[in-house]
Amino acid sequence: EDEQIVAEIMRRRFFPAFISHKAWEGFHFAGHEIRITESTDYYGAVVWPSALVLCYFLETNSKQYNLVDKNVIEIGAGTGLVSIVASLLGAFVTATDLPELLGNLQHNVLQNTKLKCKHQPHVKELSWGIDLEKNFPRSSCQFDYIMAADVVYHHPFLDELLLTFDHLCKNDTIILWAMKFRLEKENQFVGRFQARFDLEVISNFPSLNITLYKAMRKGRMKV
């Protein structure tokens, strides 16, 4: 089953039939052809398999996780693929990343969503752990979903990442997080994450070493 689903996910990706001066990859999600411009200058400007896994999940589970008119933020949006798919599925999306990635992110988001979405997505700078209350005040930022694909990798900002999840997450916020397991230090982040959030595995792809999680804040009021 894993291999069949992974094959279906990877079939959503296509490449240009001819070489152009700009490197791009194509994807089929939410009934649209999505063209993503990439850059090899930054890790965040490349589409990684975790993003495809999350996009496929959003599309194939759109009834259970109905994004129409939902307020969604993607952290570490990179090329913007997940944000674009969420927008095409009807969400009001804020795509965030580091300042040096915003130009390419804005280009991809605008190119693939203009006049195609119910809500035009926004692109905004978010450096994990920095000026969170100033840029995303708790009193006014109410997100139904936080989305993240491959944000845990070999970098020194895991504390800041956890702080960012914690700041953006309200009691009823759902986190959808696709993670590729690599090194032990990064893998230990899952245990630290579970100290603050209830974590549930909703899809697992051993052939890709990727797990898709759903998480919500611990201690929330339950109806």
Side-chain angles (χ1 to χ4, degrees):
E1 183 182 2
D2 168 49
E3 292 179 356
Q4 290 177 349
I5 296 176
V6 167
E8 170 59 26
I9 292 172
M10 293 307 166
R11 277 196 292 269
R12 302 302 186 93
R13 168 183 263 162
F14 67 93
F15 298 92
F18 57 89
I19 304 237
S20 64
H21 68 283
K22 259 189 182 179
W24 63 270
E25 286 189 67
F27 304 88
H28 290 290
F29 287 109
H32 291 266
E33 179 182 295
I34 301 168
R35 293 192 176 192
I36 296 293
T37 301
E38 297 182 305
S39 169
T40 57
D41 294 339
Y42 303 101
Y43 285 120
V46 176
V47 177
W48 299 102
S50 293
L52 274 68
V53 166
L54 183 48
C55 289
Y56 181 81
F57 177 84
L58 295 176
E59 180 187 86
T60 56
N61 293 272
S62 59
K63 290 185 178 180
Q64 183 178 359
Y65 295 88
N66 186 353
L67 297 184
V68 177
D69 298 330
K70 295 298 192 296
N71 198 10
V72 171
I73 185 168
E74 184 186 5
I75 63 174
T79 62
L81 180 61
V82 172
S83 288
I84 291 164
V85 172
S87 298
L88 293 170
L89 291 171
F92 182 88
V93 177
T94 302
T96 70
D97 215 311
L98 295 169
E100 58 266 28
L101 296 172
L102 295 187
N104 189 59
L105 175 58
Q106 179 69 67
H107 168 78
N108 285 329
V109 167
L110 186 62
Q111 174 177 264
N112 290 286
T113 62
K114 188 176 182 181
L115 303 179
K116 298 178 183 177
C117 298
K118 185 175 183 181
H119 308 288
Q120 185 61 36
H122 292 170
V123 171
K124 188 171 181 179
E125 176 185 342
L126 172 54
S127 298
W128 297 339
I130 298 176
D131 292 332
L132 293 176
E133 182 59 28
K134 175 184 176 182
N135 297 324
F136 298 89
R138 290 180 183 269
S139 59
S140 59
C141 290
Q142 306 288 333
F143 297 110
D144 299 298
Y145 289 92
I146 299 170
M147 297 188 184
D150 222 3
V151 292
V152 180
Y153 52 89
H154 185 59
H155 62 72
F157 304 110
L158 295 178
D159 290 339
E160 290 82 358
L161 174 59
L162 186 58
L163 181 64
T164 301
F165 272 124
D166 187 63
H167 179 84
L168 296 174
C169 189
K170 299 292 190 292
N171 283 341
D172 56 351
T173 302
I174 294 173
I175 299 172
L176 294 176
W177 165 31
M179 175 175 173
K180 182 175 179 68
F181 284 82
R182 295 184 176 90
L183 303 175
E184 185 57 31
K185 178 184 176 182
E186 285 74 39
N187 298 349
Q188 291 172 0
F189 180 83
V190 175
R192 296 173 56 200
F193 186 89
Q194 285 181 291
R196 302 191 189 192
F197 301 96
D198 292 323
L199 196 61
E200 174 188 351
V201 175
I202 51 178
S203 290
N204 194 33
F205 302 96
S207 62
L208 294 174
N209 211 22
I210 291 173
T211 299
L212 179 58
Y213 294 106
K214 171 186 175 182
M216 297 187 75
R217 179 180 292 282
K218 280 186 179 291
R220 63 191 182 280
M221 295 291 291
K222 296 182 180 180
V223 179

